[in-house]
């Protein structure tokens, strides 16, 4: 609807100008010099960057020892990548909109006012006739009758300065090779005697709608009508291309305008499932089945004491530019991420186990001593102790590699032109419109997809865009998922669903009043009706959480989950508050969350209402800029934090140690318990898998009993996927998957 509304507004402006010109013209004058405003050229948008989410785990198998790496041959000279050919120039008098498969030919004597992705606007300089053409995806809310009513309604006429719209005629005319356009001709007038001829034409294909309007002084359409009809008949609607990519082999999905920092693997806080994981690779990656598998490294071995990892890189690796990628590049990228000037908020969490890493973070050294480049293909990494989950940590983007020669510390927009190491390259970013990715032919295993387009700013629901064939995959909200899950729904066979390794929860700071009292924390936890909240917010579609661990996480306890999943007990809550040190009155209490003052938070409002009802307390909401949410909270302690965590690797350490150890950079509520810290530190280095899981289960039970947090839900992910798309797996956590996908040759319709 947005494109069509923009066209309508443009038409209104044109008619206002037309009417003004007509009223000022001599009575006998049948020409108007300028019916439409000359559009100002639009500057190319500057790039911004993207949000990404974190994702989650099953038990990571111990990697088997590998043979000692063979000597590395000297790399052969790399040829310069061939230049991308310039697109063929569009001939004069031809408008091409590849995204809709549209080719429209017009007289070269007509003046072009606007020629862009939104519309074509042209004017006959002799007769003064103005014509505007736009196309967009098919919208169930619009058709020919809709636009007739829109243009002839009282509200629009008032904007035009007109009183009446007299329908003169309707007819059908040919459009393109095999389509038909419905047309209507109007005479517009007002009490001052101003007159305007108006022509509306509407056509549609299987997935696209085409809207044409023409305006002229009285009698102008009689002269130019045959030209307009010929333009319609000569139009071509054929193969759809998106930004030069063949639609049949291009994955199209929804995206968002990215933040520069989130396209930098060293600074992103998102998972490898996002854009950063398409552009860059690390030594290893996580498979959709949640197993660590080789990426840039083809093999690795681990010392008997579990502290030294030796990686052998694949032979002949290179960046997208063709520049060789070696073990030295891996080390240099890790040292850049550790450099405090880079501003990484994740390096210490994911790579801080390496000997010498913290010294670089602290500004005391420039080199990570525990990382040794043996030769171009061999990297030796020494840890400060045995960490059974270290390989899983390396699947996080902070360990990924890019060509550092393309990094510009003084201009963040370098991320849009960086030299990639992953399966795709970013070829184009149009702010508010799309990000375009092409297969990286220099990658050791180029993906089958020709490209990926992430559409930005598309209006309409994701499901409606999917049904219109605009996108190939889309996540579903609770209401849509409920409908599609029914066997009778036409998209049921294209629907996938799984519980993901994510938990939404409320973190409470045990060092700040009143949550320094365990009875206050318990009172708040016992006042939450989780089942009612799930029904209110998600139609019951999410899984009510009794534990911090989501299902499928190693260490998840079904018994503990059953015990705490439904703990709503108003009487016990009031008693806990009465037993606390704050029985005579609570200090002001605020929940901190990401958002702005005008944000609607039905979830928090429901919680606050229940706390008021059960405990008689008033709680306010404090909003922080969501772009820097975690960073701001790290700087300033808060009482309660509305938070969600999705596992970045399948190990319980990623939940409990990262969220609740006193010194963790992601312990944003500043929860602190020396006994729990000691147990978490013991679990870090425990090599016996059974003993490790038992320690984490014990820690989780203590955290829940201590009411360190209130787990609410484990998220359920629902998607629909184009049946032509092969290789898609809906994983319990976000993992790199785009390199696995391809389209079948069989034509398919959503």
């Amino acid at each position: 609807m947005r494109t069509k509304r923009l066209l309508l507004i443009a038409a209104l402006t044109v008619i206002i100008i037309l009417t003004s010109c007509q009223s000022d013209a001599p009575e006998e004058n049948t020409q108007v010099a300028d019916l439409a405003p000359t559009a100002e050229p639009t500057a190319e948008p500057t790039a911004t960057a993207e949000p990404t989410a974190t994702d989650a785990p099953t038990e990571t198998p111990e990697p088997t020892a590998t043979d000692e790496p063979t000597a590395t041959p000297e790399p052969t000279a790399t040829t310069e990548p061939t230049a991308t050919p310039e697109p063929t120039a569009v001939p004069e008098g031809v408008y091409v909109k590849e995204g809709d498969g549209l080719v429209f030919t017009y007289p070269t004597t007509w003046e072009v006012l606007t020629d862009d992705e939104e519309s074509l606007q042209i004017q006959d300089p002799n007769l003064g006739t103005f014509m505007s053409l736009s196309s967009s995806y098919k919208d169930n809310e619009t058709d020919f009758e809709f636009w007739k009513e829109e243009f002839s309604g009282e509200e629009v006429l008032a904007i035009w300065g007109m009183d009446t719209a007299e329908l003169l005629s309707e007819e059908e005319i040919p459009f393109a090779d095999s389509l038909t356009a419905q047309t209507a001709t109007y005479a517009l007038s007002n009490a001052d005697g101003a007159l305007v001829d108006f022509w509306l034409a509407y056509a549609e294909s299987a997935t696209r709608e085409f809207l044409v309007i023409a305006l002229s002084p009285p009698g102008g359409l009689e002269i130019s009508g045959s030209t307009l009809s010929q333009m319609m008949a000569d139009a071509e609607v054929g193969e759809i291309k998106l930004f030069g990519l063949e639609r049949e082999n291009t994955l199209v999905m929804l995206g968002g305008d990215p933040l520069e920092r989130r396209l930098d693997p060293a600074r992103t806080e998102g998972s490898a499932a996002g854009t950063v994981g398409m552009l860059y690779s690390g030594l290893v990656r996580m498979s959709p089945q949640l197993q660590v598998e080789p990426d840039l490294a083809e093999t690795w071995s681990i010392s008997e004491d579990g502290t030294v990892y030796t990686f052998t890189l694949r032979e002949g690796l290179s960046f997208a530019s063709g520049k060789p990628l070696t073990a030295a590049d891996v080390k240099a990228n890790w040292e850049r991420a550790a450099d405090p000037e880079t501003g990484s908020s994740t390096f210490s969490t994911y790579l801080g186990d390496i000997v010498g890493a913290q010294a670089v973070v602290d500004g005391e050294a420039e080199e990570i001593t525990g990382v040794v480049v043996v030769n171009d293909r061999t990297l030796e990494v020494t840890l400060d102790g045995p960490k059974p989950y270290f390989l899983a940590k390396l699947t996080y983007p902070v360990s990924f590699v890019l060509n550092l020669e393309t990094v510009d510390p003084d201009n963040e927009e370098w991320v849009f032109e960086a030299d990639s190491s992953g399966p795709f390259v970013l070829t184009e970013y149009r702010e508010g419109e799309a990000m375009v990715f092409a297969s990286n032919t220099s990658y050791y295993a180029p993906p089958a997809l020709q490209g990926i387009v992430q559409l930005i700013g598309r209006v309409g629901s994701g499901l409606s865009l999917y049904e219109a064939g605009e996108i190939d995959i889309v996540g579903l909200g609770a209401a849509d998922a409920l409908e599609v899950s029914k066997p009778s729904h036409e998209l049921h066979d294209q629907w996938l669903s799984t519980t993901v390794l994510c938990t939404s929860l409320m973190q409470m700071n045990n060092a700040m009043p009143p949550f320094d009292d365990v009875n206050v924390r318990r009172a708040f936890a016992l006042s939450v009706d989780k089942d009612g909240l799930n029904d209110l917010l998600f139609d019951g579609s999410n899984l009510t959480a009794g534990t911090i661990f989501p299902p499928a996480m190693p260490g998840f306890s079904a018994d503990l989950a059953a015990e705490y999943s439904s703990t709503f007990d108003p009487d016990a809550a009031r008693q806990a508050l009465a037993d606390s040190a704050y029985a005579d009155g609570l200090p002001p209490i605020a929940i901190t969350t990401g958002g702005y003052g005008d944000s609607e938070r039905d979830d928090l409002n429901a919680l606050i209402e229940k706390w008021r009802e059960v405990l008689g307390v008033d709680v306010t909401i404090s909003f922080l800029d969501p772009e820097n949410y975690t960073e701001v909270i790290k700087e300033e302690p808060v009482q309660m934090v509305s938070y969600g965590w999705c596992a970045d690797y399948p190990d319980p350490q990623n939940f409990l140690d990262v969220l609740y150890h006193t010194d963790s950079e992601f312990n944003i509520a500043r929860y602190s318990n020396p006994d729990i810290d000691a147990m978490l530190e013991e679990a870090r280095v425990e090599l016996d898998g059974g003993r490790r899981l038992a320690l984490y289960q014990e820690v989780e039970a203590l955290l829940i009993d201590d009411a360190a947090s209130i787990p609410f839900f484990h998220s359920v992910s629902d998607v629909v996927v184009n049946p032509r798309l092969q290789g898609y797996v809906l994983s319990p956590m976000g993992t790199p998957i785009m390199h696995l996908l391809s389209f079948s040759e069989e034509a398919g319709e959503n």
Side-chain angles (χ1 to χ4, degrees), residues 653-674:
Q653 184 271 346
N654 183 238
F655 262 78
L656 300 190
D657 208 333
V658 171
L659 293 178
Y660 297 102
H661 190 282
T662 300
D663 296 331
S664 171
E665 58 187 336
F666 284 97
N667 180 358
I668 61 172
R670 309 289 179 88
Y671 177 84
S672 182
N673 183 317

Side-chain angles (χ1 to χ4, degrees), residues 204-223:
E204 61 182 28
S205 65
T207 61
R208 295 298 191 272
E209 293 180 327
F210 306 91
L211 185 66
V212 177
I213 62 172
L215 309 158
S216 79
L221 288 181
E222 294 181 12
I223 302 172

Side-chain angles (χ1 to χ4, degrees), residues 19-43:
T19 306
S20 172
C21 291
Q22 176 67 19
S23 62
D24 292 340
E27 247 183 30
E28 296 298 319
N29 184 16
T30 58
Q31 288 190 0
V32 179
D34 186 13
L35 292 182
T38 303
E40 290 293 324
T42 304

Side-chain angles (χ1 to χ4, degrees), residues 374-411:
V374 179
N375 55 46
D376 282 350
R377 290 183 56 206
T378 308
L379 191 74
E380 185 180 272
V381 182
T382 302
L383 308 184
D384 57 13
K387 304 293 170 66
Y389 46 87
F390 177 68
L391 280 176
K393 280 186 165 188
L394 289 183
T395 66
Y396 194 74
V398 73
S399 75
F400 291 1
V401 182
L402 59 87
N403 181 357
L404 295 182
E405 293 176 0
T406 59
V407 174
D408 183 353
D410 299 321
N411 182 5

Side-chain angles (χ1 to χ4, degrees), residues 557-637:
S557 169
D559 292 339
L560 195 64
E563 181 180 353
Y564 286 98
S565 62
S566 297
T567 56
F568 181 49
D569 190 337
D571 291 336
R574 285 188 280 266
Q575 185 59 53
L577 184 58
D579 293 339
S580 76
Y582 297 91
D584 294 333
L586 293 164
I589 299 174
I591 300 171
T592 300
T593 190
Y596 303 100
D598 59 351
S599 299
E600 287 294 330
R601 290 299 302 264
D602 291 341
D603 55 340
L604 298 185
N605 290 333
L607 282 171
I608 289 170
E609 179 58 33
K610 190 60 68 174
W611 286 328
R612 182 184 295 114
E613 174 188 321
V614 175
L615 302 177
V617 300
D618 287 320
V619 178
T620 59
I621 303 175
S622 175
F623 290 102
L624 292 177
D625 184 347
E627 303 293 356
N628 300 299
Y629 182 47
T630 300
E631 290 304 306
V632 174
I633 294 178
K634 286 178 185 178
E635 298 297 323
E636 188 67 34

Side-chain angles (χ1 to χ4, degrees), residues 96 148 167 244 267 334 428 682:
V96 178
K148 283 173 58 182
L167 179 61
R267 295 184 296 153
W334 291 4
E428 187 172 8
E682 180 182 354

Side-chain angles (χ1 to χ4, degrees), residues 506-587:
M506 186 70 69
Q507 305 281 58
M508 292 175 282
N509 190 334
N510 68 348
M512 287 188 72
F515 299 108
D516 54 347
D517 189 311
V518 66
N519 283 313
V520 173
R521 300 197 297 271
R522 288 173 180 160
F524 274 72
L526 292 166
S527 301
V528 176
D529 180 4
K530 298 179 184 179
D531 293 328
L533 200 60
N534 193 11
D535 290 338
L536 173 68
L537 300 175
F538 308 109
D539 294 325
S541 62
N542 276 343
L543 181 65
T544 301
T547 57
I548 300 166
F549 288 153
M553 170 67 74
F556 172 78
S557 169
D559 292 339
L560 195 64
E563 181 180 353
Y564 286 98
S565 62
S566 297
T567 56
F568 181 49
D569 190 337
D571 291 336
R574 285 188 280 266
Q575 185 59 53
L577 184 58
D579 293 339
S580 76
Y582 297 91
D584 294 333
L586 293 164

